[in-house]
């Protein structure tokens, strides 16, 4: 290598270090301070304005999800629920929980729960707005999400464009490379599988569903997600039953540690209330995505039952609950009840969860974890793509122009992620996600009065014994807008 080559490499490394530092500073401000506080405040704001709807209407939300399977055409609310769960549920529910426990102690789990409870109200509002402002694309498929309600509700297409660009970078490209990298890394370490061969297999599987479009993805996730969730929860339940006598103490430790009533130690390290709050809130936000505007993209694609925008809000509210309160808690229970977190040789990240499983159930759990990572990450790839597809179409005026080329780029990123690791790219994705969340929060607050008005319209109809249906003429704010809402009568099947 010549001196010129050495000089060029040194320059590239220096630029890379500076770029990493700048992006690191941006992420530090966005995720360490600004977004954490904003999302918490917005979650509390919507919770209060909606009268703690996530608690008082939880049973009704379950009934709406059950009805969501019954639609005559289009994509059902249940299929959309599974698609959003496919994107939400990933290694964050495993590795993320382990990171929260090691960084903030058991108290971090309490703050994950708190964030999820407030986040349920935020998810309700953004999914309702996504339905209100949805449109039909060239194939008659519903499309919508933050970009659409920014353009139609606020009259600010530039906001929608900016949001779309950030989402495409984060979810459409980089996060899919990260998911592929997680799969090949786990299988390579566990079984020595060749990364390139696995990458080709992941690309082929992804292409099969991605090329089929939104309906193909929705059908796949509605079959895969229940299987992977039930399998994971069954293992967690087995470990809980094996350590049932220790469960009350573990729950008390979570609560006491959250408020500093007891010094919680893991590996001999004591944690403060601030550490517990920061770790729990941040990991909860990353996991359930409430307020980020991501799940709202697919929420708009549903044909809701009852035929009202708020019904999809109920469904997506349950998605946040299932992701954090159920699945993340299952991961925390497995780690805490096994006692591995207190051992001097405790691993970090997903390795800590694997230690817990091995300790409780034996070495065969290596295969279970490999299968869990494969399913969680693969479904995230195809669900993330569905979010990006809607935003590509928004940028193209709801046409499919350039969609095939974008699909090829996504598959190329999946292959790239399978065989390579580039930390600066991952950090850029975090920054992109942070920016899209910030833009979405502003839009949610500005459109909050309409969203709450729509939700109350739904509740009033239920209160008077009616099957809710949406009449856009009752909302002057929607007059003259290009919306897919043309009221249809509820059928007897809907009423049931």
């Amino acid at each position: 290598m010549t001196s010129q080559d050495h000089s060029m490499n040194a320059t590239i490394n220096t630029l890379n270090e500076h770029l990493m530092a700048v992006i690191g500073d941006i992420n530090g401000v966005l995720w360490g301070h600004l977004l954490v506080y904003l999302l918490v405040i917005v979650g509390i704001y919507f919770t209060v304005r909606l009268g703690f709807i996530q608690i008082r209407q939880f049973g009704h939300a379950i009934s709406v999800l059950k009805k969501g399977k019954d639609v005559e055409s289009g994509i059902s609310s249940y299929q959309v629920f599974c698609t959003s769960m496919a994107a939400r549920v990933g290694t964050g529910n495993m590795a993320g929980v382990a990171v929260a426990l090691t960084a903030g102690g058991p108290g971090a789990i309490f703050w994950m729960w708190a964030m999820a409870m407030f986040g349920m109200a935020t998810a309700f509002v953004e999914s309702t707005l996504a339905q209100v402002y949805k449109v039909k694309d060239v194939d008659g498929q519903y499309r919508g999400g933050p970009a659409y309600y920014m353009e139609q509700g606020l009259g600010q297409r530039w906001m929608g464009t900016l949001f779309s660009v950030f989402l495409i970078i984060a979810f459409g490209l980089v996060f899919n490379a990260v998911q592929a990298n997680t799969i090949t890394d786990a299988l390579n370490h566990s079984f020595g599988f060749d990364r390139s061969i696995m990458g080709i297999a992941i690309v082929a599987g992804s292409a099969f569903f991605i090329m089929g479009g939104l309906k193909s993805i929705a059908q796949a996730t509605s079959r895969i997600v229940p299987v992977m969730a039930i399998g994971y929860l069954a293992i967690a339940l087995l470990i809980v039953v094996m350590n049932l006598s220790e469960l009350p103490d573990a729950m008390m430790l979570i609560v006491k540690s959250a408020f500093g009533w007891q010094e919680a130690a893991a590996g001999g390290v004591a944690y403060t209330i601030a550490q517990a709050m920061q770790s729990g809130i941040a990991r909860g936000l990353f996991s359930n995505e409430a307020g980020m505007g991501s799940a709202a993209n697919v929420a708009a694609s549903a044909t809701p039952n009852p035929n009202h925008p708020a019904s999809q809000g109920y469904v997506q509210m349950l998605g946040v609950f299932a992701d954090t309160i159920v699945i993340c808690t299952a991961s925390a229970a497995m780690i805490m009840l096994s006692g591995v977190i207190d051992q001097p040789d405790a691993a970090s990240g997903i390795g800590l969860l694997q230690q817990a499983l091995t300790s409780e159930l034996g070495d065969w759990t290596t295969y279970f974890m490999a299968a869990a990572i494969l399913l969680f990450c693969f479904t995230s790839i195809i669900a993330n793509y569905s979010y990006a597809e809607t935003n590509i179409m928004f940028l193209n005026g709801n046409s499919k122009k350039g969609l095939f080329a974008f699909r090829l780029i996504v598959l190329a990123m999946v292959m790239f992620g399978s065989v390579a690791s580039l930390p600066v790219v991952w950090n850029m994705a975090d920054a992109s996600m942070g920016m899209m969340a910030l833009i979405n929060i502003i839009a949610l607050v500005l459109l909050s009065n309409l969203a709450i008005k729509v939700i109350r319209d739904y509740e009033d109809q239920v209160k008077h014994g009616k099957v809710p249906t949406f009449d856009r003429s009752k909302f002057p704010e929607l007059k003259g807008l290009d919306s897919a809402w043309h009221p249809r009568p509820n059928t007897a099947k809907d009423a049931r």
Side-chain angles (χ1 to χ4, degrees):
M1 184 179 290
T2 66
S3 59
Q4 187 176 2
D5 291 332
H6 280 296
S7 178
M8 184 177 292
N9 287 337
T11 301
I12 292 172
N13 290 334
T14 301
L15 289 173
N16 191 52
E17 288 173 6
H18 284 303
L19 185 59
M20 285 285 283
V22 171
I23 295 172
D25 289 341
I26 293 172
N27 285 333
V29 172
L30 281 174
W31 293 108
H33 303 284
L34 186 60
L35 282 176
V36 169
Y37 296 122
L38 277 178
L39 286 167
V40 171
I41 291 168
V42 168
I44 294 172
Y45 170 72
F46 287 134
T47 295
V48 173
R49 287 203 65 183
L50 292 171
F52 290 82
I53 195 167
Q54 64 268 60
I55 297 173
R56 62 183 178 83
Q57 291 278 18
F58 188 81
H60 181 71
I62 294 174
S63 69
V64 172
L65 179 59
K66 290 178 181 177
K67 288 179 183 177
K69 291 184 177 181
D70 300 325
V71 293
E72 296 174 2
S73 61
I75 299 175
S76 71
S77 291
Y78 174 75
Q79 289 176 319
V80 165
F81 170 81
C82 289
T83 302
S84 65
M85 285 300 294
R88 284 188 175 111
V89 178
T91 53
N93 297 79
M94 298 180 284
V97 172
V99 168
L101 279 169
T102 53
I109 304 305
F110 176 88
W111 295 110
M112 285 184 74
W113 295 339
M115 191 60 248
M117 289 304 296
F118 292 126
M120 288 169 72
T122 307
F124 198 126
V125 169
E126 65 182 355
S127 295
T128 298
L129 286 172
Q131 275 282 322
V132 168
Y133 291 103
K134 69 184 180 182
V135 300
K136 281 189 175 182
D137 65 18
V138 291
D139 294 327
Q141 172 64 56
Y142 292 129
R143 299 281 179 177
Y148 291 81
Y149 56 68
M150 288 168 194
E151 179 183 39
Q152 297 197 67
L154 298 176
Q156 304 296 330
R157 182 171 173 83
W158 69 268
M159 282 182 72
T161 299
L162 206 55
F163 176 90
S164 292
V165 170
F166 285 133
L167 183 141
I168 290 164
I169 292 171
F171 283 82
L173 303 176
V174 182
F175 286 164
N176 280 342
V178 173
Q179 298 292 347
N181 184 267
T182 302
I183 294 173
T184 57
D185 186 60
L187 297 181
N188 178 263
H189 277 85
S190 297
F191 309 110
F193 291 167
D194 182 83
R195 288 177 180 272
S196 298
I197 294 174
M198 285 188 292
I200 293 170
I202 297 168
V203 167
S206 300
F208 180 80
F209 296 108
I210 285 174
M211 292 299 179
L214 205 54
K215 286 188 177 181
S216 174
I217 292 169
Q219 290 169 355
T221 55
S222 65
R223 291 181 175 91
I224 299 172
V225 167
V227 173
M228 74 181 193
I230 290 170
Y232 191 71
L233 293 175
I235 291 292
L237 182 61
L238 178 60
I239 292 177
V240 168
V241 170
M242 291 170 60
N243 298 275
L244 201 56
S245 61
E246 298 171 29
L247 185 61
D249 289 339
M251 297 299 290
M252 285 302 298
L253 181 60
I254 288 172
V255 176
K256 288 180 179 180
S257 302
F259 296 98
W261 297 336
Q262 173 178 324
E263 279 195 346
V269 180
Y271 296 95
T272 65
I273 301 175
Q275 285 175 306
M277 288 184 68
Q278 185 175 13
S279 298
I281 291 172
R283 297 320 307 177
L285 290 173
F286 266 108
S287 179
N288 61 53
E289 300 176 15
M292 291 183 190
S294 49
N297 291 278
V298 73
S301 301
T303 301
N305 183 18
N307 187 38
H308 194 286
S311 63
Q312 189 58 37
Y314 283 104
V315 171
Q316 289 304 312
M317 180 178 79
L318 286 180
V320 174
F321 178 87
D323 173 87
T324 306
I325 306 295
V326 178
I327 297 177
C328 285
T329 300
S331 296
M334 288 188 279
I335 292 170
M336 291 184 65
L337 292 175
S338 69
V340 295
I341 196 170
D342 296 320
Q343 296 174 5
D345 61 343
S348 60
I350 204 165
L352 184 62
L353 181 58
Q354 182 61 64
Q355 269 189 333
L357 288 170
T358 303
S359 171
E360 293 296 303
L361 301 174
D363 292 336
W364 69 270
T365 55
T366 299
Y367 300 98
F368 171 78
M369 282 299 294
I373 291 170
L374 177 61
L375 287 176
F376 283 19
C377 293
F378 179 75
T379 53
S380 289
I381 289 172
I382 60 175
N384 286 346
Y385 165 78
S386 72
Y387 295 174
E389 180 180 285
T390 289
N391 285 273
I392 286 288
M393 295 192 69
F394 171 82
L395 295 176
N396 287 329
N398 263 353
S399 76
K400 288 191 170 184
K401 182 181 178 181
L403 194 56
F404 182 75
F406 177 69
R407 288 171 176 172
L408 294 180
I409 294 171
V410 170
L411 295 174
M413 284 297 291
V414 170
M415 188 66 210
F416 168 77
S418 299
V419 298
S421 178
L422 197 57
V424 67
V425 178
W426 311 156
N427 288 336
M428 286 175 67
D430 285 341
S432 291
M433 184 169 65
M435 291 304 298
M436 63 178 255
L438 183 60
I439 296 168
N440 186 53
I441 291 169
I442 294 169
L444 290 180
V445 173
L446 293 175
L447 292 170
S448 60
N449 287 336
L450 173 64
I452 290 165
K453 192 175 173 183
V454 170
I455 294 166
R456 285 176 178 163
D457 174 67
Y458 180 101
E459 289 196 276
D460 285 343
Q461 292 186 58
V462 172
K463 192 182 296 182
H464 288 90
K466 300 177 182 177
V467 177
T469 187
F470 188 61
D471 180 1
R472 62 177 287 183
S473 66
K474 292 162 61 176
F475 302 89
E477 302 93 330
L478 304 179
K479 186 177 180 180
L481 290 179
D482 178 22
S483 171
W485 278 101
H486 301 289
R488 63 174 171 81
N490 284 292
T491 63
K493 190 176 184 180
D494 293 332
R496 289 199 301 273

